[in-house]
Each structure stands twice: as C-alpha cells, then as structure tokens.
Amino acid sequence: MTTPTSLPHLLLGSVDTRPDAIALVDGTRRVSYEALWNKARALAGFMNEVGVKPGDRVALLMGNSVEYVAAYYAVLLHGAVVVALNTAAKSRDVLNWLTHSGAALLITDADYPEYAVLREHIAVGLPVIVHRGEVDAAEKNTHAWEEAVSFPGRLDSLGRIQPDEPAAIIYTSGTTGNPKGVGLSHRNLDSNVRSILEYLNLRADDSIVNVLPFFYSYGNSILHTHLAAGGRVVLEKSMMYPAQVLKRMTEERATGFSGVPSTYSILLNRVDLAQFDLSSLRYMTQAGGPMAPADVRRLTSLLPSVKFFVMYGQTEASARLSYLPPERLFDKLGSIGVPIPRVRIEIHDADGNVLPANEVGELCATGENIMRGYWNAPDLTSRVVRDGWLCTGDLAYQDEDG
C-alpha cells in the first residue's frame, strides 16, 4: 500500500491520534484538531455548494488566524488549489493575481484595508466568502463566514487527491506586470513537510509561537509541519510588540521559534531576553537571508541550550533546500549547510556541468519538493527547471565536507 501524499492526509493523522489536543491558539481561542478538521470539512462542503470544482483555484486574502488554516485545508480537501495572497498588497495587485490564477472563489477578511475597492472591481459572478464583516443581502454571490463553516453537508475528497496534481500557487513577484505564481503539487508540499519533520525532529509535544505570515513559504511550512506532527501553533500577528511575543512563548511553554534576520535583530535589540523564562525552548530556525554572524553569536550565547538551525530555500522548492546542523554552526558559520533529507544539491557551471569542491557556480537542486512550474508560464518554467533540476540563480560553492 502506498503512503498517502498530501497535507490533508498528514493532518488527518494528527486528528485520528490526538483529536482533543490543541492544534491552534489564536488570542484567547484554543482550537482542537477535531474542531479544526470539522470546520475544514464543512467549508469544503460549502465550496461545493457555490460551484467550486476540483482543480479550481480558491484565493485566500486573510491574515494568520484559525479561519485561514481552516480555509487552507478546506480547499485541499475539496480537491481545489489554494492561492494564498499577501494581505499587505494593494487591491490592484490582488485583482491582478485573481485574474491571473483564474480564481473561482475568494475568501477574504473584511478588514483587508482596501476591501471596499476590491469589492467594487472584483469580477462579476465571482463568489466571495467574507470573514469579520457584515454581508449585505443585496450583494449577490457574497456569503458570511459563519454560514460557510456551518454548512451541514461536510465534504472531503481525500480519495481523489492525486500527488502530482496542483495544490497551491504562491505569488512571488510580478504584481502589476506578469505575475509569477509558483505552482506546488500535493507531493511537493508533503515532501517538504516530511523532510523538515525529520531534521528538526518535530514531535507531538512541540509547540511554536509563530510570527511569520502563512502566505509566504516559510510561514506556510511552519504551519503544516507542526500540524503534521500533532503539535501546537500559537499565533502572534507580528513583531511589533516583541515583549508580548516573548511573554506568549513563556506562557505557552513554546519549544520552538522561527524568524528571518530582522526578527532576531528585534529580539536582540528591543527586549532583554534574560527577563523571560525561555527554558522550554528546544530549537530556533532562521531563513530568509543571511544573518549577521555577530547576531548569531550573541543569540546563542544568551540561549546556550537552544539548537539554532540556519536554513536556506526558495518558494520554488516548497520552502526548504538545506540546513546547517546546529553542532556545525560555528565551525561552518556563514554556510547554508547540507541538503535536507531527500534533496540533492549540486554546483553547476554555465553549461550545467558539476563543479568540484570550492569552485563557485550556480546552486541547483532536485527532489520531490521542487515545484511543478510557474502557473501558466511554461517558457519561464523551462528556464528555471531543467531536466528535473531547480536552477536557483544563487551563486555558491561546496566545500570538501559537502
């Protein structure tokens, strides 16, 4: 029997083994795995009711929340494709992404700053589900969130999910020109999650306070890895109030934390870490660009018992390509480490030949996490993915230790 290859299958594993365990903490709300699963199934049934078909694209314009997570898994359960959009983007960019993806449904927070403008210009006939807002009965095809998640005809299409069918599109650039949407399959996302679970050794007793947006691949992978492990994801909206983030880490006895270089710079320079009980922390991860070596040394000296993982990746790789094992952090400081499990990395010259150790070339990678391609852009895809290898455009060299 083959192993199921999708995020809903991984989530269902946690639902089956830990139905009453807390999956998400959002402010004062604590949502169990079973409750999250039921919300997702009800919403999937409602999508079917409003005409969404398997393979259709469903756009999410929502901040990090229980509702976002339920919507994400509902789309996948239905067999549709998640298009998670940047909530900080202007309405003109959102409209461009909706058009480019051919979205069949939009699920949005009513407190999106340009919601009124978006509603005025949205394509005629596009169904909209609105969270945190009143719905005017005269607005045709507009539905309230509570109506959608209370739908009695719960649905899931787990048996219909095909590993190599599209699961998600993440837009990385080209907002007002030609959008660049990274198309990820169920297999891509599943492979990325399983690799991260392995090298971070994530377990059901792990919990993370998350400050990264879920519509980016880094935050996306944090969400799905912890739900697959049966752990707990505690939502903090931003790093605007770093003391609040650390207070929540203390209260929730968080075992993990993830950030980009600026996240850690804020923690180091705006709060006194020694004032907080972070004894539960087991690991921290960092990606999104190089972190200053001085900041790495300072952070690890303040939290000497915490394993610090430097990581590297791209959206086109479903998030992750390599990690630096914490025990090699200082003798390989500045390195992006070794390939994650089930990924192969080579350094190529301009002709695609593999370069020997210590020669600079383009970092290329292959594995089941590499994207299907850019949405509706075969020419662009062929320039980036060649013979199954993702050509990252980043220059690197590989030392004698690999």
Side-chain angles (χ1 to χ4, degrees), residues 235-254:
L235 307 182
E236 279 294 323
K237 307 306 182 186
S238 75
M239 287 298 294
M240 185 175 295
Y241 303 104
Q244 171 59 34
V245 172
L246 290 168
K247 182 172 180 285
R248 182 58 74 95
M249 289 168 67
T250 297
E251 293 170 345
E252 294 289 340
R253 303 300 294 161

Side-chain angles (χ1 to χ4, degrees), residues 196-209 225-226 229 231 249 253-258 264 277-285 303-309 326:
I196 295 172
L197 287 174
E198 185 174 329
Y199 75 77
L200 285 183
N201 189 29
L202 289 181
R203 307 180 300 264
D205 59 352
D206 274 315
S207 60
I208 189 165
V209 170
T225 50
H226 285 76
M249 289 168 67
R253 303 300 294 161
T255 62
F257 184 77
S258 297
Y264 289 107
D277 177 8
L278 301 176
S279 58
S280 61
L281 270 183
R282 180 175 69 81
Y283 75 93
M284 287 179 154
T285 72
L303 301 168
S305 63
V306 177
K307 293 183 177 180
F308 190 75
F309 291 81

Side-chain angles (χ1 to χ4, degrees), residues 133-385:
E134 297 294 325
V135 173
D136 188 337
E139 287 189 277
K140 193 177 179 181
N141 288 331
T142 302
H143 309 275
W145 172 264
E146 288 305 324
E147 174 193 2
V149 294
S150 301
F151 189 72
R154 292 177 181 175
L155 171 77
D156 68 64
S157 305
L158 281 175
R160 293 211 307 259
I161 292 176
Q162 296 300 309
D164 294 314
E165 288 299 307
I169 298 171
I170 301 177
Y171 282 100
T172 61
S173 65
T175 53
T176 54
N178 294 316
K180 190 166 74 171
V182 175
L184 301 173
S185 70
H186 291 282
R187 188 188 303 277
N188 293 155
L189 294 168
D190 175 273
S191 176
N192 179 69
V193 165
R194 291 179 189 272
S195 295
I196 295 172
L197 287 174
E198 185 174 329
Y199 75 77
L200 285 183
N201 189 29
L202 289 181
R203 307 180 300 264
D205 59 352
D206 274 315
S207 60
I208 189 165
V209 170
N210 177 73
V211 297
L212 300 174
F214 290 149
F215 54 75
Y216 283 137
S217 60
Y218 191 5
N220 194 53
S221 67
I222 290 167
L223 171 66
H224 301 310
T225 50
H226 285 76
L227 293 183
R232 186 170 78 252
V233 182
V234 182
L235 307 182
E236 279 294 323
K237 307 306 182 186
S238 75
M239 287 298 294
M240 185 175 295
Y241 303 104
Q244 171 59 34
V245 172
L246 290 168
K247 182 172 180 285
R248 182 58 74 95
M249 289 168 67
T250 297
E251 293 170 345
E252 294 289 340
R253 303 300 294 161
T255 62
F257 184 77
S258 297
V260 297
S262 61
T263 309
Y264 289 107
S265 179
I266 290 170
L267 287 181
L268 288 169
N269 296 304
R270 287 181 50 190
V271 288
D272 181 2
L273 294 179
Q275 297 300 310
F276 298 88
D277 177 8
L278 301 176
S279 58
S280 61
L281 270 183
R282 180 175 69 81
Y283 75 93
M284 287 179 154
T285 72
Q286 180 264 311
M291 187 166 158
D295 282 350
V296 174
R297 292 184 186 280
R298 187 175 162 204
L299 183 69
T300 53
S301 68
L302 290 169
L303 301 168
S305 63
V306 177
K307 293 183 177 180
F308 190 75
F309 291 81
V310 172
M311 309 185 305
Y312 163 82
Q314 289 192 338
T315 305
E316 289 84 348
S318 309
R320 201 59 53 228
L321 285 171
S322 71
Y323 75 103
L324 181 58
E327 62 271 17
R328 305 304 302 273
L329 181 61
F330 290 111
D331 70 298
K332 297 291 184 182
L333 193 60
S335 170
I336 60 169
V338 296
I340 66 172
R342 291 175 291 281
V343 166
R344 184 177 162 198
I345 290 178
E346 293 179 350
I347 308 302
H348 292 177
D349 65 15
D351 297 319
N353 301 309
V354 180
L355 290 170
N358 298 309
E359 287 200 25
V360 175
E362 184 176 17
L363 190 151
C364 300
T366 188
E368 290 190 339
N369 61 327
I370 302 304
M371 69 172 181
R372 293 164 46 89
Y374 296 112
W375 181 253
N376 286 342
D379 291 343
L380 178 59
T381 300
S382 65
R383 293 198 294 270
V384 175
V385 180

